[in-house]
Amino acid sequence: MFHAFSQPWPQKPSNRSLLSQLCEIPTLVLKVQSLFFTSSDAQLLFGIAALGSSCTFHGNIQSLELISEVAKQPLPLLVKEFLCQYLRCALQFIAMERMMKVSIVSFLLSLTTSSSYAEMPFFLDETVIICVQTIVDGFIEINNRPLNVCVVDEVNIFRPDRVFKFLLEMHYQILAAIHPRHKCHKLSSIAVLIRIIGQRVVTSSTSNYIFSILGHYIGIQHLQDQCCNIISTMLDIFKADSATETILVFGEQLQEKVPLPSQIIKLLSQLTVDADPLLYDFIKDLEPFPPLECLERVRIFHEDLCRTYSTKGSVFDVRPFKPSSSKGTTVIESLHEKLLMNDIIPHNRDVLEREWNNGWNCDSDIVNAVWNLFQLINTDDANDICGMLSDFVARIGIGDPYQVVFRLPDSSKHMHVYPSSFFFNSKETTCCPDVGVSDDLLLDLLQLLKKYLVDDSVKTVDITVQTLQGILSTEKGQGALLALNSYERSVIEVHSKGVNLSLLEELLLDIEKKHTSIDVELDDSSIWSTMGKSYEIWICLLVHKIAGLCDDVILRLCREIVLLKSEVANLLFSSVLVNLAWNDDSNGHMRELISVKIRDNIFVESNGLAKSIQVVLDALNRLRSFYVADCAASCFTTRQKSNRISSVSRSRYPSEKSKGRTSDMSMLCSFWPKVYWLSLDYLLVAKAAIHCGSYFTAILYIEHWCEERFNGLTLGAPDFSHMEELPTYIELLIAAFTQINEPDAIYGVIQSHKLTSQLALFEHEGNWSKALEYCDLLVRSVPVGETENFPGKSSTNEFLTYSTYGGRTTNWKYCKGLMRSLQNIGSRHVLDLYGRGLVSKIGDSEHDREFAELQYEAAWRAGNWDFSLFSPDVTYCSGPSARGISFNENLHSCLRALQEGDFDHFHLKLVDTKKELVLSISNASWEAAEYIHSNISKLQILHHLGMAWELRWKSSSSKQDSSLKHVKKFSGPVIPLKEQLEWMNIEWNFILRQAQLQMKLLEPVIAFRRVMLQILDCKEFLSEDLLQAASTLRKGLRYSLATAALHELKFLFCQTDQERKSRTYTFGRLEEAKILRAQGQPDMAINLAKYLLQNYQMEEEASNIYRLIGKWLAETRSSNSRTILEKYLKRSVELLETGGSKDQKYISRQCQTFFQLAHYTDSLFKNYEERLASNEWQAALRLRKHKTKELEVLIRRMKSSTKAKRTDYSVKIQELQKQLSMDREEAERLQDDRDNFLNLALEGYKRCLVIGGKYDLRVVFRIVSLWFSLHMRHNVVESMSSTAMEVQSYKFLPLVYQIASRLGISKEGEELISFQNALLFLVRKMAIEHPYHTIFQILALANGDRIKDKQRNKNSFVVDMDKKLAAENLLSELSSSHGGIIQQMKQMVEIYIKLAELETKKEDTNKKVPLPREIRSIRQLELVPVVTANIAIDPTSQYKEGTFPHFKGLGDSVKIMNGINVPKVVECFGSDGQIYRQLAKSGNDDLRQDAVMEQFFGIVNIFLQHHRDTWKRKLQIRTYKVVPFTPSAGLVEWVDRTIPLGEYLLGSSRNGGAHGRYGGETGHFFSAGSLWLIPVMRYFFLERFLRPADWFERRLAYTRSVAASSMVGYIVGLGDRHSMNILIDEATAEVIHIDLGVAFEQGLMLKTPERVPFRLTRDIVDGMGVTGVEGVFRRCCEETLSVMRTNKEALLTIIEVFIHDPLYKWALSPLKALQRQKETNYDSDSSLESSEEACEGNRDAARAILRVKQKLDGYEDGEMRSVAGQVQQLIQDAIDTDRLSQMFPGWGAWL
């Protein structure tokens, strides 16, 4: 009965007896005796009380019974009185400490009862409250107590941390209670505590924990009322305090703890209808309330509230849920229902036409929210969530199908990059990352611990509190606490007592004592082995042990919590390993021990825990980042001859074994024998990385291995031996490259022509015919009966593994490769026979999962529903081939069940397969983008399969409902109607658009859709689907499969006699013609198209067929031009113009037809022009002239001759006249045809621009080129005028500068005046409709004579006064419509010109100087955009407010940069809140040249963007904005986050840079025989991108960027590419070329001619990785050059427009050439003599254009080359040692 008295009590009184002490009670105690005693005899009562209190304390029941008998009172009442009396006495006489009061309060709270009658030893809550008041507040008069406060608590007993301890003790007691009645008693103590502390219960830590405790028991029926009463009480208190932290606490707990609505109506009303409006965001996410009458008010309120919030927003609010919470499943179910109703991701045609910028099916927020739901996979409700989550993932799709790393939208913004300042700033380079718990990691740790404060386990809460107390007792912990947000800090900071060293030592000592007896040694294999363990158990035990060996305080404080929570263990594993590495002794004993254990237990094939491999790889990567940082720091300090200063946060309280160790004793990780500290074979680590899907990590380790093995970043010499076996590292690289979503890298690895390597290459390319041949060769190489162990590969395994198949035939994997080839070719019949043959020959015992998957895939594709591979007693073989998902087997089962109507089997297989796929995605590394995309594609197949069931076995409905949970009763199969399939077709079209012809993903979906429609028996839809499939497969270059689809389409129509009347059949035949042409049979394609025109009613498609025939005939030149033009192309136009449709497809077809006609007639016009200008034609003209003179002579002679001779003369004269007549007719015909072709071309181009926008870029450049070159022809000027009037002006904006530069004032010539009028009209129209893109150019022309005084005598700039006057006149005209804009633009331009021409002192270089007041005081210009901001072109010419950032002002200072022209960097403030850094330049360099080259790069980017092969590789040239204001001054966009290549390699002051850190001392020595400077560019990526995925992705971007810029720079002859003229983006690693003044091979005119086509020095190549120029670089060069050669006509037109620009002086004078290399050599002398005529530079334009044309035609050294051959020649020239050794020294050929 008195067991509760075993709780802590105050210290007992001294030796004097209790009775004598009690007799000396002060008078003060007697004042409150009426509160506790009813007897009037106080003396007797006190005497009895003295003895009774002693007996009560000692549990003497016999004496208590005797006292009860003497006092004649019930024993329970006496015990109550004795207890209160004893407490008062203890309070008065023992002078107890505050902590004694805390113990007493805790004990009193534990005596509370929940019943109305208190049974011993419990007391009613009122009694306990009075006791607590007495103890805490002493004897304050009752009348003076505040009304709303139960306990005043002046001694701070109820401090938040102590309240938490009270709650923790209560939690322990509730947990210890077995019977619900006992739990009720313990819960009552919480209610009493709430009443005692009152308003203080809203404290975040207190309320959070109370809600957590109540949430555990509110579902128990006996405790529900009590829990609800407590919640209701708290709600009343919360209403009085609506602080933000309070709302956050209550709102989050509200979603978790709301009980069943049918049981507590009142509380529900309080929580919802009567709740604070600030809680509405949380209430809307509650599950729907049942339709009960008693809940009608709550339900209606909830429904109305949900309608006010968007469904989309509800997806965003899904937060991390605790494993025990049902809220996760409930919310997902609700959202899933909305998804199926198309509320979250609407699927309609309007949405389908919308192009999301991120490539997903919805906006970025929804995509991120859906993928965040994957955190629920690890909860107890995973089984219920997986099926619903699969539908979400299927609906949002795959995003970018060509991304190398799987990334969600905007995820690249969170990529961690080391800035250049880390490696160049002396203050930062002396620092290294924390070798313990870093600041960021500590924040993550605190957030985890915050979550554990409300854990289900009270033990976890207890240990979490102790861990927090220790962490927050350190300075680092206090700093991290301040970094949390206010709510998180309010929950955690109650456990902080500031920096408390004594508490810290005490906690560490307790932890060490607690675990000393049970600890095992680190060399015990049991803690390293994964056998028989889950990942959670393994990681907890291992980290617990290693943390005990660390000297970091925080790591040691976490030893207990890591035993309970794998999340913490996983978080800290890298840190504990780094800490051990940092503190390892010089002998490396710890390194060797851990290396052996990881090698023997983790990196082994028997390890089934892929997560254990991944966590070790992550730890190794953390070690690498530490190594990189330490190398940078140690190198810098070594150069400065200073001691190494470590900023590593060393523990003030190291473990015993580390005491006395100083930082000087720590080993520099730069002296580690391995980059990753551990002595592990890099190939072994790479193999393990491939096993767990970390392919980029594997590539990184293989490169380290190659660097060690070959003493450089190279793959070694190619192996051309007769042995078929590939080196291990090559096999691993091939395995990694074939699994990543990158098309080119594998070409850099395969250096020999071995069958196995060629087979891998063919499969990678999708060349399945060749793969079939090589598989057959390899299968024949070893008889099937011979067996041995061999490396295997499984394409359907979860991840690629390298291991051995015991007892399997050597050629077994090639047999499966042969099956894959047959599958992808479409040879289903041969595949079926071959598969049966293998089964019969090898037997069931040899089957593995990959073989089974291939067989089942072939079966469902062929519609073979009777297929069954295994007998019931046969199981799959063990080993790596048994891993993975049986997707095709399950899909075959589902399709068969769909055919037969077996719901149970269908539903079981469908749900299980969805779960397996979702789990595989959840466990996959994001380095495996191709694997994740493949599984998403499979989920889309299953999603459509669920829809198909509803259509076939459910009554007709247009609503989508694929839940399949209650649909078991159906009468029979139903053939869906067209309307029912429409919404499925919308989704299918979206998948087609999203896949972007990535056939690895798309082809299986196409095959499934065909089989599904066959089962549904939808012949109409099936025929249309087959036609669409054939078209898609043709575009994806799968010609054999496309032909198979058309064959099946024909077979469908052959069963009826309606094929000639079917539109689908006719289109199928046309598709057949397209396939024939694509396969290299144009004649057969043309004949088939002609046959269709003659024998079928094509209707609106006839125009397209005429166009195609004309196009194909023109390509093959198999007919004369007049036939092509008159019979086909013009006929196509005529048919289109008679059509009545105006939909988007019709408009696109019109645009295409007019372009085809214009393009063809334009080519004819150029041919005629070339013929009329040819030497042969000129010779004929000379001959005609000679004959004309001869005729005149003959006529004169005939007149003076005799009659006899006149006859002879007459005959000769007639012959000559006939010949001359024929010549004149031919000339007139040619000229007429030429003019006719020109008119047709101009009209066709105009119509093309008016109708659509598909060919705008090519057409605009060509038509402007024709205008400028033929501006003296009347018909051209007329066409120009009509085009300028009819075509929208925004289409001419890409050439606004070139068009405006032709402005002038014509004084004579009618044609020239008409040309200028038409030109002025066009420029005026552009300026009126698009002022922000045009007026700056006109202002620059108007300032054409503004040249700095110091430059006036140099004649460096051409001043055309006619253009200046024309521009000024135009500005005057524009003032009527845009006066305000022009005025403000002039103000801003004037300010920038003054800034550019600002005089500075030499000592101000690289310093900031204040701006002059006249510049600094410029006001905000609301009508003018920030000059260097990108302003999107608005075709509607609206440009509403807010569509662009306007100019708000300049910074107070400007930075003076180094250079001859002294450029200045200024900060411009935009109205969007951003700061735009700009470079103001003024000097001898004309910025118009840079502006034109940047314009050219931008146009090339458009061509690269529109070509599929370059688009999917993201090939582009990085550009920046250049805005000239005068011939000598302008503004350049400052490219942020960039560093010059030379600065990275050599340092900002040539003080070492990367070469100093990694390559030894630098030197400027380069010759053919001495290349001693080690390239170090690869370290740029190793330093800045610490995660392997980021490292590979950014290095890939660098290589592609170098390839694209090299090819484009070569075409335009870009020179002067020294290392300071190439920037590299520190975030994206793309290169940016600056200083573009040397173009069109003017580098050959320099004093030391540049003999290389582009910069490809050894450092540039070193940054490309182990494959060097092979693989990615070479292939991207070929793709870029191929696109440019394909568009050579358009590019030549563009270059022609640029090079003939009267203001673009691209040619270098001799003095300019001399100045270039002086600048490069850092010569500060800027004085130059007057140059020769500057305008003479353009006289070599024809030669420059001819050279560009030769390059685009493939001519190198006078010989025509293929694209590959030309690239090969260019690469050889660029890396040629002889050429590089002849370069100017300032170019830096050794870098």
Side-chain angles (χ1 to χ4, degrees), residues 512-757:
E512 290 184 4
K513 286 181 179 179
K514 190 179 299 183
H515 297 283
T516 299
S517 59
I518 61 174
D519 268 355
V520 295
E521 296 298 326
L522 190 62
D523 59 357
D524 190 341
S525 296
S526 62
I527 66 172
W528 294 92
S529 175
T530 62
M531 300 299 292
K533 298 178 185 175
S534 67
Y535 171 76
E536 289 73 18
I537 293 176
W538 174 82
I539 191 70
C540 288
L541 292 175
L542 183 59
V543 175
H544 170 75
K545 175 58 188 176
I546 300 179
L549 304 176
C550 297
D551 67 350
D552 184 85
V553 173
I554 295 177
L555 292 177
R556 289 162 57 198
L557 286 169
C558 293
R559 286 193 71 192
E560 287 192 284
I561 194 65
V562 297
L563 274 179
L564 300 176
K565 292 295 180 181
S566 61
E567 281 181 293
V568 181
N570 193 72
L571 184 69
L572 298 181
F573 181 81
S574 298
S575 297
V576 297
L577 200 61
V578 167
N579 191 267
L580 286 186
W582 181 257
N583 294 290
D584 195 12
D585 55 37
S586 58
N587 296 324
H589 295 308
M590 185 66 68
R591 179 183 69 246
E592 294 302 324
L593 171 63
I594 297 179
S595 299
V596 170
K597 295 303 178 183
I598 291 178
R599 183 177 64 246
D600 295 344
N601 295 276
I602 310 301
F603 293 159
V604 291
E605 293 177 6
S606 59
N607 181 11
L609 297 180
K611 279 188 176 182
S612 65
I613 300 175
Q614 188 62 57
V615 75
V616 174
L617 293 175
D618 292 341
L620 293 180
N621 195 54
R622 172 82 187 280
L623 285 168
R624 179 177 71 84
S625 65
F626 184 62
Y627 173 87
V628 167
D630 187 71
C631 283
S634 61
C635 171
F636 180 87
T637 52
T638 299
R639 288 188 170 274
Q640 298 297 323
K641 298 182 179 180
S642 61
N643 295 327
R644 182 179 186 277
I645 303 174
S646 172
S647 67
V648 176
S649 178
R650 291 288 178 174
S651 170
R652 295 187 180 184
Y653 311 99
S655 58
E656 292 297 320
K657 60 188 75 177
S658 63
K659 285 184 179 179
R661 176 184 296 172
T662 65
S663 60
D664 296 334
M665 297 173 61
S666 301
M667 178 189 295
L668 282 174
C669 55
S670 54
F671 295 105
W672 288 349
K674 292 276 189 178
V675 174
Y676 298 87
W677 179 56
L678 298 176
S679 300
L680 295 171
D681 182 6
Y682 286 140
L683 289 187
L684 176 67
V685 183
K687 182 178 177 182
I690 290 178
H691 178 74
C692 67
S694 299
Y695 303 113
F696 304 129
T697 304
I699 295 170
L700 183 61
Y701 279 100
I702 295 170
E703 292 199 0
H704 282 316
W705 184 89
C706 290
E707 192 173 355
E708 283 187 351
R709 177 67 178 271
F710 303 114
N711 197 27
L713 196 58
T714 176
L715 288 174
D719 179 16
F720 291 103
S721 65
H722 68 282
M723 300 296 294
E724 278 299 322
E725 184 178 357
L726 295 172
T728 303
Y729 71 98
I730 296 294
E731 283 189 344
L732 290 173
L733 278 176
I734 291 175
F737 284 142
T738 53
Q739 294 297 316
I740 63 177
N741 205 13
E742 206 290 311
D744 303 319
I746 191 173
Y747 293 92
V749 177
I750 298 177
Q751 301 175 332
S752 62
H753 293 279
K754 296 181 183 294
L755 292 180
T756 51
S757 61

Side-chain angles (χ1 to χ4, degrees), residues 1364-1387:
K1364 171 181 167 58
L1365 293 175
E1368 290 177 345
N1369 293 338
L1370 179 57
L1371 288 173
S1372 298
E1373 292 182 33
L1374 293 173
S1375 297
S1376 60
S1377 57
H1378 293 307
I1381 294 177
I1382 293 174
Q1383 184 64 31
Q1384 291 192 7
M1385 281 187 174
K1386 285 182 177 180
Q1387 292 180 31

Side-chain angles (χ1 to χ4, degrees), residues 1086-1279:
I1086 292 171
N1087 292 334
L1088 178 55
K1090 290 180 179 178
Y1091 170 80
L1092 291 176
L1093 284 176
Q1094 296 170 2
N1095 296 276
Y1096 291 87
Q1097 296 295 328
M1098 300 305 299
E1099 299 176 356
E1100 70 273 9
E1101 195 63 24
S1103 170
N1104 187 40
I1105 297 179
Y1106 277 112
R1107 182 190 63 82
L1108 288 174
I1109 295 175
K1111 178 184 176 183
W1112 296 344
L1113 286 173
E1115 290 174 350
T1116 59
R1117 299 182 180 180
S1118 55
S1119 183
N1120 63 72
S1121 59
R1122 198 166 301 277
T1123 301
I1124 296 173
L1125 192 59
E1126 299 294 336
K1127 191 174 180 180
Y1128 295 105
L1129 295 181
K1130 283 189 175 180
R1131 177 63 175 158
S1132 176
V1133 171
E1134 292 171 1
L1135 290 174
L1136 269 180
E1137 289 180 335
T1138 58
S1141 176
K1142 296 297 180 183
D1143 60 6
Q1144 191 64 37
K1145 183 178 179 180
Y1146 177 78
I1147 293 174
S1148 176
R1149 182 69 55 81
Q1150 268 190 316
C1151 183
Q1152 190 177 24
T1153 303
F1154 278 112
F1155 175 78
Q1156 195 68 52
L1157 174 64
H1159 181 70
Y1160 182 65
T1161 52
D1162 189 14
S1163 65
L1164 292 177
F1165 166 74
K1166 286 189 289 186
N1167 291 338
Y1168 275 58
E1169 282 280 273
E1170 291 173 0
R1171 182 177 176 182
L1172 292 174
S1174 65
N1175 293 331
E1176 294 80 2
W1177 185 260
Q1178 295 301 319
L1181 288 179
R1182 289 192 297 270
L1183 180 60
R1184 189 189 312 162
K1185 185 176 181 181
H1186 175 73
K1187 288 182 178 180
T1188 302
K1189 290 181 179 180
E1190 184 180 354
L1191 177 62
E1192 292 174 354
V1193 171
L1194 287 174
I1195 291 173
R1196 286 197 305 269
R1197 289 182 180 180
M1198 186 183 69
K1199 289 180 179 181
S1200 61
S1201 64
T1202 63
K1203 188 176 181 179
K1205 291 184 178 181
R1206 286 181 181 179
T1207 304
D1208 295 335
Y1209 281 123
S1210 177
V1211 172
K1212 291 181 180 179
I1213 289 172
Q1214 289 178 1
E1215 290 178 356
L1216 282 175
Q1217 286 177 339
K1218 186 175 181 180
Q1219 291 178 5
L1220 288 173
S1221 176
M1222 291 175 61
D1223 290 343
R1224 280 194 299 271
E1225 288 177 1
E1226 182 183 8
E1228 290 174 0
R1229 180 174 54 81
L1230 286 176
Q1231 291 174 359
D1232 289 342
D1233 287 346
R1234 179 197 62 182
D1235 294 340
N1236 183 40
F1237 293 148
L1238 176 60
N1239 291 332
L1240 286 173
L1242 290 172
E1243 182 64 21
Y1245 283 144
K1246 182 185 77 172
R1247 295 292 302 277
C1248 185
L1249 289 174
V1250 170
I1251 292 171
K1254 184 177 181 180
Y1255 304 98
D1256 281 355
L1257 186 66
R1258 295 177 63 182
V1259 170
V1260 163
F1261 274 93
R1262 181 55 186 161
I1263 201 170
V1264 170
S1265 176
L1266 290 172
W1267 291 348
F1268 289 172
S1269 61
L1270 306 173
H1271 65 278
M1272 297 300 292
R1273 297 188 185 183
H1274 180 69
N1275 59 333
V1276 173
V1277 175
E1278 284 186 349
S1279 175

Side-chain angles (χ1 to χ4, degrees), residues 790-823:
F790 69 98
K793 169 185 173 184
S794 172
S795 62
T796 55
N797 286 349
E798 180 179 356
F799 294 109
L800 181 67
T801 60
Y802 270 76
S803 55
T804 60
Y805 297 129
R808 186 58 53 81
T809 59
T810 305
N811 58 3
W812 177 243
K813 66 174 180 179
Y814 303 122
C815 292
K816 293 183 287 188
L818 198 150
M819 294 178 67
R820 279 195 303 274
S821 300
L822 289 171
Q823 186 77 269

Side-chain angles (χ1 to χ4, degrees), residues 249-261:
V249 172
F250 189 71
E252 288 192 357
Q253 297 298 331
L254 168 67
Q255 292 181 322
E256 301 286 337
K257 313 306 177 192
V258 172
L260 296 176

Side-chain angles (χ1 to χ4, degrees), residues 188-202:
S188 298
S189 60
I190 296 179
V192 169
L193 178 64
I194 293 173
R195 290 184 59 187
I196 291 173
I197 61 178
Q199 197 66 32
R200 283 166 288 188
V201 77
V202 302

